[in-house]
Amino acid sequence: MVVDGMDSKRQAHFFLCHVASDRIAMLCFLLEGYDGLATMSTISVREALVCCTVPHGCCPIFLLLFRSLVADGLIISFMEVKHSALELADHMALRGQRLYSRTVATECFAYE
């Protein structure tokens, strides 16, 4: 089964999010209000990148919430990626690339 373009065989989904830098704490606070919806890891405070890990069954609610947060301006953009925050940060560091490079993140980690 595919939910909004997502593979249902996966147990968790990872989303790379570009957030307004002064709103990272607010996003964390909002996610805490939705118990079990997602966990958030900050990849880079300077570049305002976070990675959210979402259990498979919570993806429809997560997508509704994040689409509304984009519309409200709290989140600049977000995309599903193949790997967790730690794997993403490690990969970028090994390649000597800035984490904010969306082209690189898309090439290496985003689903097509």
Side-chain angles (χ1 to χ4, degrees):
M1 176 170 84
V2 175
V3 178
D4 201 11
M6 295 184 192
D7 181 4
S8 66
K9 295 178 184 175
R10 296 178 54 211
Q11 292 184 358
H13 298 268
F14 306 106
F15 291 87
L16 179 64
C17 308
H18 182 206
V19 182
S21 60
D22 60 339
R23 304 277 176 95
I24 293 174
M26 180 177 276
L27 179 60
C28 184
F29 179 74
L30 283 171
L31 285 175
E32 287 174 0
Y34 290 86
D35 193 34
L37 178 65
T39 58
M40 186 182 97
S41 300
T42 303
I43 296 174
S44 172
V45 174
R46 190 183 92 233
E47 296 170 356
L49 286 178
V50 300
C51 184
C52 294
T53 303
V54 182
H56 174 69
C58 296
C59 276
I61 297 168
F62 176 86
L63 290 172
L64 285 173
L65 174 65
F66 269 55
R67 287 177 183 144
S68 70
L69 294 176
V70 168
D72 292 343
L74 178 65
I75 297 174
I76 297 167
S77 63
F78 70 100
M79 67 179 177
E80 185 174 16
V81 293
K82 296 177 186 176
H83 301 283
S84 70
L86 183 59
E87 293 167 321
L88 179 61
D90 285 349
H91 179 78
M92 295 299 189
L94 286 174
R95 291 183 62 182
Q97 295 165 324
R98 292 186 58 208
L99 292 171
Y100 184 69
S101 173
R102 278 197 229 253
T103 303
V104 173
T106 302
E107 287 172 2
C108 300
F109 293 95
Y111 284 100
E112 311 249 329

